[in-house]
Every structure is written in C-alpha cells, then in structure tokens.
Amino acid sequence: MTIILFVDDDTDLLGLNTFMLKNIGYETITATNGEEAVIKFKESAPDITIMDIKMPKMDGFDAFFKMKKIKEDAKIVLISAYAVDEKKVLKAKSMGLLEMISKPYDFEEIENIIKKHTPTKAQEF
Amino acid sequence: MKIAHIIIIGLSILLVTYTATSFIVLEININEMKKTAIERNITIASTLMHDFDRFVKKRIDDFKQITYSIEVQNAIHKSNELFQKRAEQNNNSNNNINQHTQSVTDTHVEDAQLTNELKVIIEFYKNVYEHSVIDEIFITNQYGENIALGTGISDFRQDDETWWQVTKKDGFFIGKPAYSDNYKTHTIPIGLRINDDAGNFLGVLRISLNLADILNDLKADSKILSNENKNVYIIDDAGNIVYSSKRDDFFYEKYKEFESISGVIGTFESSKEEKTNFITFATSTGFLDFPGFGWHIIIEQDEASILEDISNVRNELIIITIVGIGMVIMIGLIITYFISKSLEDITNVATHLAKGDFNYIIKPSKFVEFQVILNSFKKAAGSIKQLIETEKELAESQTRVKNERLLAIGELSSSLAHDLKNPLAVIKTGIDAIKRNSEGTTPEIQKEVFPRMERAIRRMNHQIEDVLNYVRITPINVKDNSMLKIIQSSIELIKIPENIKIKIPKEDITILCDKEKIEIVFINLILNAIQAIGDKAGNIIISTSKKHTHDTVEIQDDGEGIAEENMKKIFTPLFTTKMKGTGLGLSICKNIIEQHGWSIDVQINPTRFIIKIPHK
C-alpha cells in the first residue's frame, strides 16, 4: 500500500485531503509543521510526501532539505499558497523536487501526481 | 575702513600726544635748568665777589697794622716836627716855596730804621705767600715827604699827587690797576692814612698791591669754573677787564656788555653769532669796613653747555619717537594680521554655517573676544544642528510611520492572499470531495467536509474583518460611557467557553470614548485570553482602578503566557504565534487606544494587559 505523508499547518485542509486520499485508497500520515514532518518521514518512510511551504517551526523548504539528506531519492511535492523564494525553489528542483503546486488546487492534480510517481503501488491497489 | 588703519592712527595719535607732551615737559625742564644754572651762577659770582672783597680787606688790614705801629707813628711824628721847624725857618727867610720845597727835599730826613722795617715786611710776605704781594711800599709824613721806602722807586714829595690828597682827605685811596714798568706787573695803588691815637693826621702809607696776588685765589676758582664751560671776568667800576679766565690779552679792554650791568647781582642774555650766552654778575659790596673796589665779577655761560645734557635727552626723545612710530606700525600690522586672520576664520565659520555645514570644525581662537564669538557660533551651530536633526527625525518618523503603514498594508495584502488561499483550498477540496461522491451528501461528507468548508468561509470573513479594522482608521466618536457596560456588551458578543470564568469589575468608571471601538479592543483582548487558556480551566479578571493622574483597566488571564522575546513584538502588525491568527488583533487594539490618546502595555507572569486612561 502506498504511504503518503501529507503536511500542512491548516488542519481543515489536512483533514479534508486525508479524507479524500483515504477514500481513494491511500494510507495517509499527517504532520502540521516541518519538524513533525521530518520526524514522521523518518519513522514511516513514506512513498511520497506532499508538503505545504509556509508552516510554523520549520518551513516546507527546510523540511524538504532535511528529508533529502535522510533519503536522497525521497519523492517530495511542495505546495505553495503564495509567491515563494525562487532560489530555494531552484535549489530544491536541482535536488530532485518532483512538483510545485499552488493553492487552491484541484484534488485531481494531487491524485495524478501520486499516481505518476508511485505507479506500481497504485496498480497493487 | 580697515581696522588696521584705525589701530595705526589711534596708536600714532597716542604716540604723537606722548611725544608732544614729552617735548613740552622737556621745554619746561630746559627753562628750569636754565633758571637753575643761572641762579647757581649768580650764587657763584656773589661768593667769588665776597671772597675777593674779604681777601682784599685782609690784605689792606694787614697793612693797616703798619699804620698803628708806635715806631712808625713816632718816626712820622719826628719827621713832621723836623719838617715843621724847617718850614718855619724857611718862612722866616721868605724864600720861594718851590725853592723851599726843593731844599726840604734835599735835606729830608729819611728814617733808615723805618725803611728797614718796611723791607722786612716785604720779605715776610714774600716768604709766606711765595710770591710778591707788594710791589711798592713807602710812608710819607703829613707833608707828603717820603720818609721810608720799602721797595720801589718814589718821588720824595707826594703831597701834590691826587692819590695822596684823596688819602689824606678820605683815609683811603684805591687806584686803577696799571702796568708798572718798574715792577713788570700790574699793580693796584692803595693809600692808607696814618693817624695818631687822637685821630690827628700823621702821614700816609702807600702800597701797590700786586694784582696777581689779589687774583690768585680767584684764578684757581676760575679754572675750576672753566671746566664747567663758565668764563669768569672781573671788571672794574669803569667796565675795564681786570681779569679774564678766557684770555690774558683782554686786560683793561672795555667789557662789551658793561652797559647791562647794574645793581648788586643780576643776569641777562647776550646773543651773538647764533650763540646765546647767559651772563650773570655780582658787584663788589665790600667786606665789613672795607667798602670794596666797586668791581664786578661776571660769569658767562654758553646756553649750549647748559643744555648739553638736555639736548642728549632731546635726541633720545626723537630717536624714541622714530622707533615708536616704527613699533606702532609694526604692532598695528601684527594686530591687524591676527585680527584679520581671526575675522577671516569667523567669516569662514559663518559662511560654512550659512551653507548648512554644521559639522565644520571651528578652530579655537587665541583671543578671548573672538573665542566668545566662536563659542556663540558653536552654540548656534549646535542648536541649529539639533533643530534640523529634530525636524529631520520628525519628518523621518512621519515618513517612517507612513512607510510602515504602507509596508504593513503591503504585507497585509500578501498575508491576506496567503491566508485566504488556505480556506479557499479547503473549499475547493471540499467541492472536489462532493463532486466525487455521486450519492450526494452522505453522512460522511456532512461530517468531514461541510464543517470544514463552513469554517473556511468563517475564517475568510474573519480575516477580511481584521484587515478592514486595521486598514480603515475611522474617526472616533467620543461620548461619556460606562466602562462596565462596554465590558459587559463585549463579553456578550463572545461565546465564553465553559472552562473559563470571567470576572468583571465591581466599580464602574465613566470614560469619554467611542463605545464601538473600545468594544473591539475588549473583544480582542478577551479572545486572546480565551485562546491562551485553551481547553484548560482558567480565569479572566477584568479590573478598573482610579489613580491620581489616570484611570486604568486591566485584563489578566492565567493561560499560557507570552514568551519574553515576543513581548516587544506583540503589538506589531502581522506578528502572530498562532496558526490561524492574522497578527492584527493587538495592532488594532493599539491603534484604537492611541486614537483615544490612551496607552496600552503588557506584563507577563501572569499575562496582564494594562490600559491607561489619562485624566483630561
């Protein structure tokens, strides 16, 4: 079963997305900030991580870099609500950032990205 | 006009005045010196005259002693008797008088003893004074017959001579000095009457005093006076020069200024060939019973010699004046240099200040007066600088406030954009969820999706309200309000959770304020307190107090406190530690409070917001 780590400080958004992902058959782990996300990432070794950039304690970028240190080929998608630091985006891309998506997004977009990057496991489902 | 010129002119006037005064003082001194010199000369002349008279009197007195001598008197007496007898015999024979006289002369009795005595006297004087005092000495009897001849050559009969008759009549004769070929010297003939004890005329003593002897002392004195540039003359009563310390060949010439001499003492000036002589004179007045010769002692002194010292002083004064003028010009130039330089410096300072260069370094002046001006400049520059800086700061702070506001609005916009996108994302995802659920509103959807969507909409509304409250500063509408009522109505607008107890003040205070706005403040503060307490049980205590200068309202909670490092930032717009906060609540509170002219502050442990309401 594909494990998805979904990170967002907005608990309502996090709840809805978890609800949706569970509905289509993914196991979803959540975190509300960067720090928590990194811990969950270590514990669960998710197949893909979808993470908001603007978060308290540790932002999405920093969490991204830490995760990449832990696991070089970690699959991570970042979500932005607003303008982001382009340098960090470029750096993240050079380190293998899968995608950048903007709020508000179609849930289909999330679904497609997950399918695209975790084909085998989706087939299993 | 340059300061230098004034200084030079001023100093020059001073110097000229000084010099003129000095010259006047000098002139007065010259006159004084002349007077003193003349007075001194008069004294000297008088003294010399007096000494001369005393000397002559002494000499004459010495010879008078001879006339008192008994031997002399006896000898003359004898001679007179003898002469009388012969005369009687001759009268009887009725002979011609002239022949008689001749016969008497022929037969005259010369007293050899007396003659010898006179010679002894002469020798005595010669020995004592080491020069010839008497050039001629002889004695006649009452008939003028020479009875004793000490020295010289004499006729036998003297009774027909004027001097003899004057002597017989007046008792004393003094003749004019004359050069005697016989004695090769100038002599003064003197006749002394010889009387017996009863005062009867016995005969005459004739002496010729050596002029050189009489003048001996005077010559010595004259020599000393000559060294002082004084010429001494003795002239006789007819104005003939008897002695001149200047030259010997003046002897018995007429003294040129004789007409000017009258009186016992006196002085006059005589100018010739651009030379002025001061002439002082003293006339002989005799000594005791000696009536004097009626001669005059004259002292001539050249004006130049009197003023010799003074003229040195005059020259020095001229040199001092010239040097002084030089110095004045030098001093003037030096002062000018320093003053001009100082003034230039001051002008420089003023120019720089005028240009607005307040950082121009003011060099200290060596002169106190200029330093005072420079200090004033320094002070003025400091004050202006401060003023400008204050103005600048004010302008800057105003701009900063404006900029901060613009920045805050900018940030607010971006924050708003971000914060609205989250709830939008919730709604969008919610719609996606509903779309996917073909069965419509299943209980699951109703439970998981709808409340979230509703919350998202509420959140968006809240965000927009907050921003509007912050951005839109509406004018306040103040009225007297009951603080208690404002607090109560604020609480009514909030749903106070059951776990929280809220205490409101017992005493009311009346406050002049905008009710609506102050309610916003209380709502924000109470909401903050509720959020800080969270799910635990807690208390919110609102209290009021009246103080001397102000009233206070305090809102205290025992919830999670504020971290110390955040104390300063909590009133800053957009600062928030909450996940869903806008960071505008306290900023809005602060704005409203300040709009009222109040102040708001925060204390921690426990968290307490204090609103100070100053008495108007």
Side-chain angles (χ1 to χ4, degrees), chain A residues 90-101:
Chain A
L90 286 173
K91 194 182 173 192
K93 277 186 176 166
S94 74
M95 287 173 76
L97 173 69
L98 292 183
E99 301 273 350
M100 278 277 292
I101 48 176

Side-chain angles (χ1 to χ4, degrees), chain A residues 4 6 36 41 55 62 66 73:
Chain A
I4 299 164
F6 205 99
E36 197 189 346
F41 178 84
M55 287 186 299
D62 289 345
K66 287 219 165 156
D73 61 344

Side-chain angles (χ1 to χ4, degrees), chain B residues 543-565:
Chain B
S543 61
T544 58
S545 67
K546 286 186 168 216
K547 291 199 172 135
H548 187 61
T549 54
H550 58 269
D551 297 335
T552 57
V553 180
E554 294 183 8
I555 297 154
Q556 186 184 319
D557 71 69
D558 50 8
E560 197 188 335
I562 303 162
E564 209 174 332
E565 67 262 24

Side-chain angles (χ1 to χ4, degrees), chain B residues 469 476-477 481-494 511 513-528 542 553 555 585 588-589 592-593 596 598 611:
Chain B
N469 276 336
I476 52 169
N477 177 26
N481 282 299
S482 154
M483 181 54 81
L484 204 57
K485 275 187 183 166
I486 293 175
I487 293 167
Q488 279 166 345
S489 64
S490 302
I491 292 168
E492 275 164 23
L493 291 170
I494 307 162
I511 301 287
C513 66
D514 186 322
K515 185 172 177 274
E516 309 287 318
K517 294 217 169 191
I518 297 301
E519 272 178 10
I520 295 171
V521 173
F522 281 110
I523 290 165
N524 267 297
L525 292 174
I526 294 164
L527 276 176
N528 278 351
I542 304 172
V553 180
I555 297 154
I588 290 162
C589 290
I592 292 169
I593 293 291
H596 278 78
W598 305 350
I611 299 166

Side-chain angles (χ1 to χ4, degrees), chain A:
Chain A
M1 200 184 191
T2 306
I3 301 168
I4 299 164
L5 174 59
F6 205 99
V7 189
D8 200 308
D9 62 329
D10 190 316
T11 46
D12 281 334
L13 194 58
L14 196 61
L16 263 182
N17 278 301
T18 310
F19 169 74
M20 297 282 279
L21 289 169
K22 272 184 182 164
N23 269 355
I24 54 171
Y26 291 109
E27 192 187 336
T28 311
I29 307 155
T30 61
T32 55
N33 61 58
E35 251 176 48
E36 197 189 346
V38 174
I39 294 164
K40 292 269 173 81
F41 178 84
K42 257 195 229 169
E43 282 173 5
S44 323
D47 295 295
I48 189 161
T49 304
I50 301 164
M51 187 157 57
D52 192 15
I53 289 171
K54 199 194 169 198
M55 287 186 299
K57 287 188 184 173
M58 187 189 285
D59 73 8
F61 280 117
D62 289 345
F64 169 86
F65 295 130
K66 287 219 165 156
M67 287 170 184
K68 278 288 176 184
K69 255 187 192 170
I70 295 162
K71 197 185 172 204
E72 210 180 318
D73 61 344
K75 290 170 179 168
I76 303 165
V77 177
L78 288 175
I79 304 170
S80 74
Y82 183 61
V84 287
D85 190 335
E86 281 303 318
K87 275 186 190 169
K88 282 191 176 176
V89 175
L90 286 173
K91 194 182 173 192
K93 277 186 176 166
S94 74
M95 287 173 76
L97 173 69
L98 292 183
E99 301 273 350
M100 278 277 292
I101 48 176
S102 302
K103 286 178 184 175
Y105 47 82
D106 283 335
F107 183 73
E108 221 178 339
E109 209 177 335
I110 304 257
E111 203 180 356
N112 289 339
I113 288 167
I114 296 168
K115 277 181 184 165
K116 186 180 163 191
H117 294 288
T118 57
T120 21
K121 285 182 183 174
Q123 276 171 359
E124 272 172 30
F125 176 73

Side-chain angles (χ1 to χ4, degrees), chain B residues 251-469:
Chain B
F251 190 76
Y252 237 69
E253 269 179 25
K254 189 91 174 171
Y255 184 68
K256 282 178 186 121
E257 310 285 343
F258 181 63
E259 290 78 20
S260 307
I261 294 170
S262 70
V264 178
I265 50 166
T267 179
F268 55 89
E269 280 182 28
S270 144
S271 298
K272 53 182 175 186
E273 293 161 13
E274 292 173 8
K275 272 177 80 179
T276 303
N277 275 331
F278 292 103
I279 297 167
T280 54
F281 63 87
T283 306
S284 164
T285 51
F287 189 80
L288 297 176
D289 58 331
F290 171 58
F293 294 158
W295 291 6
H296 309 280
I297 283 190
I298 290 160
I299 296 174
E300 278 183 359
Q301 190 170 10
D302 183 7
E303 185 185 26
S305 74
I306 296 177
L307 304 179
E308 207 166 60
D309 295 343
I310 286 283
S311 61
N312 285 342
V313 173
R314 198 193 303 238
N315 288 341
E316 279 166 16
L317 202 61
I318 289 165
I319 290 167
I320 286 169
T321 307
I322 290 165
V323 170
I325 287 167
M327 295 270 282
V328 160
I329 290 166
M330 286 260 288
I331 290 167
L333 290 176
I334 290 167
I335 291 174
T336 308
Y337 171 74
F338 281 114
I339 289 179
S340 300
K341 208 172 167 290
S342 295
L343 284 177
E344 208 171 280
D345 287 349
I346 289 172
T347 312
N348 245 340
V349 170
T351 311
H352 274 92
L353 293 189
K355 278 182 192 161
D357 179 9
F358 299 106
N359 294 323
Y360 182 71
I361 293 157
I362 297 175
K363 277 181 276 173
S365 174
K366 292 181 190 77
F367 304 103
V368 179
E369 291 84 351
F370 289 122
Q371 193 55 49
V372 169
I373 297 172
L374 286 177
N375 284 346
S376 308
F377 270 124
K378 228 180 222 174
K379 246 189 199 166
S383 303
I384 295 169
K385 199 175 161 186
Q386 214 174 354
L387 193 71
I388 287 173
E389 268 168 16
T390 312
E391 287 279 327
K392 219 191 236 171
E393 267 171 28
L394 197 68
E396 271 171 9
S397 77
Q398 279 172 348
T399 319
R400 200 165 53 231
V401 166
K402 213 172 171 185
N403 285 348
E404 267 173 13
R405 221 177 144 67
L406 286 172
L407 200 70
I409 290 167
E411 270 181 43
L412 204 60
S413 312
S414 56
S415 169
L416 190 67
H418 178 267
D419 289 350
L420 288 180
K421 279 195 178 180
N422 268 335
L424 276 177
V426 172
I427 292 163
K428 181 87 172 83
T429 311
I431 289 167
D432 284 345
I434 295 162
K435 273 186 190 164
R436 283 176 184 240
N437 204 312
S438 49
E439 290 149 29
T441 54
T442 58
E444 233 187 346
I445 293 285
Q446 281 183 11
K447 188 190 161 208
E448 294 284 346
V449 181
F450 288 167
R452 287 191 167 113
M453 286 175 76
E454 275 172 18
R455 270 206 296 275
I457 290 163
R458 265 210 308 277
R459 271 167 57 197
M460 285 169 80
N461 190 50
H462 176 66
Q463 300 267 9
I464 290 161
E465 282 294 315
D466 261 8
V467 169
L468 283 178
N469 276 336

